[in-house]
Amino acid sequence: MNLNSIPAFQDNYIWVLSEDDGRCLIVDPGEAAPILAALTENKWHPEAILLTHHHNDHVGGVKELTQKYPGLVVYGPEETQDKGATQIVKEGDVVDVLGCEFSVIFTPGHTAGHICYFSDPYLFSGDTLFSGGCGRLFEGTASHMYQSLKKLSALPDHTLVCCAHEYTLANMKFSVSILPDDSDLNDYFMEVKELRAKNQKTLPAILKNERKINLFLRTDDADFIDKLSKETNLQQPEQRFAWLRSKKDNF
Ligand code: ZN
Ligand code: FE
């Protein structure tokens, strides 16, 4: 299996898993043009599309792709029913594509029905878990997102986090502003700065590293709690998470 990411819009990635024989699956095709070009160039034959949520930058290319490839099966959560999904899936379902079994993980927070797909080692995390960050809370609460990230964080160390946006640099800039003395955060910030200066991707991220450098996965850490205690007096982990999320919204 080969993992590929096709850039779309300003900072989206459309992930493609392909077999050597050209069969492939596409994750969150927000627009059709870049993915159609990549399919032709690589002689790929798409068998399925996986959708994580209903936002346009994730589903905008579905209709054109299914017109061009009528056999395509489009998996997605209920909220994508009118965005071209042909197979509605939910937590606990297993999607069988290219001989791989993808478990569906319900991860509300960014939207009310957001799901992620995991087939060891690939995690398609959509707009839930980003490298160094997490999605904005458009439809869910901080507590939903906190619980969703907890589920993802429990996946194996070697999990490859394939998220839908190249937001890593901005996320690390924010994280370092919160814990300026944290060497893990600073090291990764430097690394990501260098990659982006050369216009290189920072993804996929490795979950083991995310647990060290993603503050949104570290809201139970002593350093973070200590930092917070100087500003507010929040006792519950969900409240600490909400504080961090709103800081990022206003950063
Ligand atoms: Zn979104
Ligand atoms: Fe998005």
Side-chain angles (χ1 to χ4, degrees):
M1 206 69 94
N2 310 299
L3 180 67
N4 314 271
S5 54
I6 313 299
F9 302 112
Q10 283 294 328
D11 49 36
N12 281 67
Y13 290 126
I14 301 171
W15 294 92
V16 176
L17 265 184
S18 63
E19 291 277 26
D20 290 336
D21 65 8
R23 291 178 305 130
C24 74
L25 77 85
I26 303 167
V27 184
D28 283 351
E31 57 177 342
I35 189 75
L36 286 171
L39 292 173
T40 308
E41 188 189 326
N42 294 287
K43 298 192 170 66
W44 284 333
H45 308 286
E47 297 206 331
I49 291 176
L50 306 182
L51 301 177
T52 61
H53 66 293
H54 69 84
H55 286 158
N56 245 321
D57 63 311
H58 299 252
V59 302
V62 171
K63 292 215 164 100
E64 211 175 319
L65 283 163
T66 48
Q67 270 159 19
K68 190 116 204 239
Y69 299 93
L72 266 178
V73 185
V74 185
Y75 298 92
E78 207 171 338
E79 63 180 33
T80 58
Q81 188 124 47
D82 59 351
K83 308 283 182 180
T86 57
Q87 292 271 341
I88 300 304
V89 291
K90 55 183 195 313
E91 166 95 13
D93 284 350
V94 173
V95 172
D96 214 319
V97 196
L98 302 176
C100 272
E101 295 194 328
F102 290 87
S103 326
V104 175
I105 308 172
F106 183 46
T107 52
H110 178 67
T111 64
H114 194 296
I115 58 173
C116 297
Y117 298 87
F118 176 67
S119 178
D120 200 354
Y122 310 106
L123 170 68
F124 295 112
S125 64
D127 286 357
T128 295
L129 175 60
F130 295 126
S131 184
C134 71
R136 277 178 187 260
L137 306 175
F138 286 121
E139 296 171 11
T141 63
S143 160
H144 289 144
M145 184 60 101
Y146 173 80
Q147 297 297 340
S148 295
L149 292 177
K150 259 203 140 60
K151 284 190 199 170
L152 300 183
S153 183
L155 293 171
D157 284 355
H158 59 259
T159 298
L160 297 174
V161 181
C162 307
C163 52
H165 292 273
E166 179 62 71
Y167 287 162
T168 320
L169 184 59
N171 287 336
M172 295 317 295
K173 197 173 172 191
F174 165 71
S175 303
V176 166
S177 81
I178 299 291
L179 293 184
D181 301 326
D182 187 291
S183 60
D184 290 329
L185 295 184
N186 279 293
D187 289 352
Y188 190 56
F189 184 33
M190 284 291 285
E191 200 181 304
V192 164
K193 254 197 233 169
E194 280 171 27
L195 285 170
R196 295 309 293 150
K198 291 183 274 182
N199 214 6
Q200 286 176 16
K201 297 170 185 181
T202 62
L203 303 165
I206 296 161
L207 187 58
K208 187 180 181 189
N209 194 48
E210 275 315 297
R211 289 196 210 101
K212 279 199 308 194
I213 62 81
N214 191 324
L215 273 190
F216 292 88
L217 302 181
R218 285 180 47 184
T219 49
D220 298 331
D221 275 20
D223 303 359
F224 182 71
I225 293 174
D226 185 48
K227 152 83 189 180
L228 217 72
S229 68
K230 288 171 190 137
E231 299 199 24
T232 70
N233 184 28
L234 301 173
Q235 302 298 324
Q236 299 301 319
E238 273 105 332
Q239 293 177 313
R240 293 195 295 267
F241 179 85
W243 177 89
L244 186 66
R245 186 57 258 181
S246 76
K247 275 267 176 194
K248 175 68 170 69
D249 290 343
N250 299 303
F251 184 63

